[in-house]
Amino acid sequence: EPEVTQTPSHQVTQMGQEVILRCVPISNHLYFYWYRQILGQKVEFLVSFYNNEISEKSEIFDDQFSVERPDGSNFTLKIRSTKLEDSAMYFCASSIAGVGANVLTFGAGSRLTVL
Amino acid sequence: AQSVAQPEDQVNVAEGNPLTVKCTYSVSGNPYLFWYVQYPNRGLQFLLKYITGDNLVKGSYGFEAEFNKSQTSFHLKKPSALVSDSALYFCAVREDGNTGKLIFGQGTTLQVKP
């Protein structure tokens, strides 16, 4: 069964450092997403991406965050200058379409720890 | 704005007994409703979804969910729980016409005891 793969599985960084989280969505999917889950809290939407541009973003997704699809397979989330409160599990997801009953397929997540 | 509520942080049930994990939602248009499960150190796995039609939806691993429009609920059920069902369960909603974003509830931990 096709999977969404994420790397790294765990990253520890110092506050203020830049972090890039990588995702390989399912190959025939056209919509890509990043979500995060702070420990013990709900899964929160960050951003959706379609046709090489952001289609929607949440208020969490401020100027410190950016997304990119640098080639035909990878989808990345960059945090420019990490803060302690960025510590969370970050999930990438993809879907064939962006509306209706289309199912998002999630990766296993990248745990980010900011010290 | 869309929202999802899961009123129980944790549900405990004995193996073999029926289980229910509750979810209520709020959307302004037609809802598309989903249940996902998260096992420890794993990503979110899709269980089932409601589109339209039959209010009882069957999904993976013997789970089903009942859509109730008047109560704006989408409770997850299973007739006979297994210890291996113990996990974190998330209800999610997408509003009709949305860009694809899912809004998740806060999650309910299901503990099935032998």
Side-chain angles (χ1 to χ4, degrees), chain A residues 21-102:
Chain A
L21 305 178
R22 291 181 169 81
C23 169
V24 178
I26 293 174
S27 60
N28 64 337
H29 285 186
L30 300 176
Y31 290 77
F32 314 114
Y33 310 85
W34 283 101
Y35 283 77
R36 79 172 185 191
Q37 185 182 28
I38 294 170
L39 187 64
Q41 298 186 24
K42 66 164 68 178
V43 177
E44 301 173 290
F45 169 77
L46 291 179
V47 65
S48 59
F49 191 87
Y50 169 71
N51 200 25
N52 279 323
E53 59 183 30
I54 290 173
S55 48
E56 188 172 356
K57 60 183 180 179
S58 71
E59 58 194 29
I60 303 168
F61 194 88
D62 61 21
D63 292 344
Q64 292 299 311
F65 291 88
S66 62
V67 288
E68 194 177 33
R69 190 155 161 79
D71 53 43
S73 59
N74 289 284
F75 178 52
T76 62
L77 174 70
K78 183 193 291 186
I79 309 174
R80 286 189 185 79
S81 177
T82 50
K83 309 187 202 61
L84 294 176
E85 54 265 36
D86 293 327
S87 294
M89 180 74 91
Y90 288 81
F91 292 106
C92 175
S94 67
S95 65
I96 290 175
V99 294
N102 279 283

Side-chain angles (χ1 to χ4, degrees), chain B residues 25-107:
Chain B
Y25 67 90
S26 174
V27 297
S28 55
N30 293 321
Y32 296 95
L33 295 155
F34 303 80
W35 275 100
Y36 281 81
V37 60
Q38 185 181 30
Y39 296 100
N41 301 313
R42 302 284 299 276
L44 298 159
Q45 291 178 238
F46 168 73
L47 273 181
L48 51 79
K49 65 182 178 184
Y50 170 79
I51 314 169
T52 58
D54 195 349
N55 289 342
L56 186 64
V57 178
K58 294 192 185 298
S60 306
Y61 312 120
F63 282 93
E64 54 193 31
E66 188 169 11
F67 172 69
N68 186 318
K69 188 172 182 178
S70 63
Q71 297 185 3
T72 60
S73 67
F74 189 55
H75 300 331
L76 182 70
K77 299 175 189 246
K78 188 172 182 182
S80 178
L82 299 172
V83 172
S84 58
D85 292 330
S86 299
L88 183 55
Y89 290 81
F90 290 97
C91 181
V93 66
R94 175 190 290 131
E95 198 170 65
D96 193 13
N98 197 274
T99 57
K101 174 179 76 176
L102 287 183
I103 299 298
F104 284 87
Q106 65 267 40

